[in-house]
Amino acid sequence: MNVLETEWWTLALPPEWWADAEDDSILVGDRDDVGCIEISTLHKEQGSFDSAELRGIAEGESSQAIDWKSVSLGDFSGVGGGYLDDGVAIREWYVASGAIMLFITYSCDEENRGMDDAAVDEILDTLLLVQPRK
C-alpha cells in the first residue's frame, strides 16, 4: 500500500492506483483508467460540521436528485449517493470530521459502472484525519 498524505488527511492506495494534486483537489485513479476519484477539502473557521449541515450542503450543491444515504469513510462521516449523467456513472460523498469536510466524487463511463465500486469503497474506508502537531 502507498499512503497519500495531505496536510489534513491521509488515504491508503493500492499499488495499482495513482494520485496527483490539482489546483484545489487531489485526483486518484487506477492504472487501467477505468475511473477517477476527486477529493476536495474544505475547512470551517469555527466549530464542526454536523450531519444536518452536510446533508444540506449535499442537497444544495448537487445538480441531480440523489437519494442520499448516511456513510462512514474511515474517520469521516456524512452522506453519499450516485447517479448517471450523459453516459457517465458518478458517485458523490460529502463527509466531515470536525472542522474538515471532504467533497469526493468517483466517475467512470456508464459501461464500467460498478466495476471499481468495491475497490473505491475500500480505498475511501482508509481516510484518516491528520492529528494537529503539538
Side-chain angles (χ1 to χ4, degrees):
M1 283 284 179
N2 299 313
V3 176
L4 168 62
E5 188 168 347
T6 73
E7 186 178 342
W8 305 281
W9 51 267
T10 64
L11 185 67
L13 296 177
E16 65 273 12
W17 287 71
W18 54 266
D20 192 22
E22 292 284 315
D23 294 332
D24 292 331
S25 62
I26 304 289
L27 297 177
V28 178
D30 67 358
R31 301 206 188 280
D32 295 334
D33 285 331
V34 171
C36 188
I37 301 169
E38 184 172 354
I39 305 173
S40 300
T41 305
L42 296 125
H43 310 266
K44 196 172 205 182
E45 291 295 321
Q46 293 183 322
S48 298
F49 288 96
D50 63 35
S51 58
E53 186 176 15
L54 284 174
R55 184 173 289 273
I57 292 169
E59 290 171 353
E61 291 294 320
S62 182
S63 60
Q64 302 289 323
I66 297 176
D67 180 20
W68 296 105
K69 306 254 190 274
S70 294
V71 296
S72 290
L73 305 175
D75 287 344
F76 294 78
S77 61
V79 295
Y83 59 94
L84 289 174
D85 184 26
D86 203 22
V88 178
I90 299 172
R91 296 173 71 197
E92 292 185 348
W93 298 265
Y94 290 83
V95 293
S97 183
I100 304 293
M101 184 186 101
L102 302 179
F103 170 55
I104 305 168
T105 60
Y106 172 77
S107 59
C108 65
D109 290 337
E110 186 175 355
E111 65 257 17
N112 294 326
R113 183 181 196 180
M115 185 183 296
D116 274 349
D117 282 0
V120 168
D121 291 345
E122 281 183 36
I123 290 168
L124 294 180
D125 279 343
T126 68
L127 271 167
L128 298 176
L129 189 65
V130 171
Q131 299 306 317
R133 293 183 176 89
K134 303 212 188 281

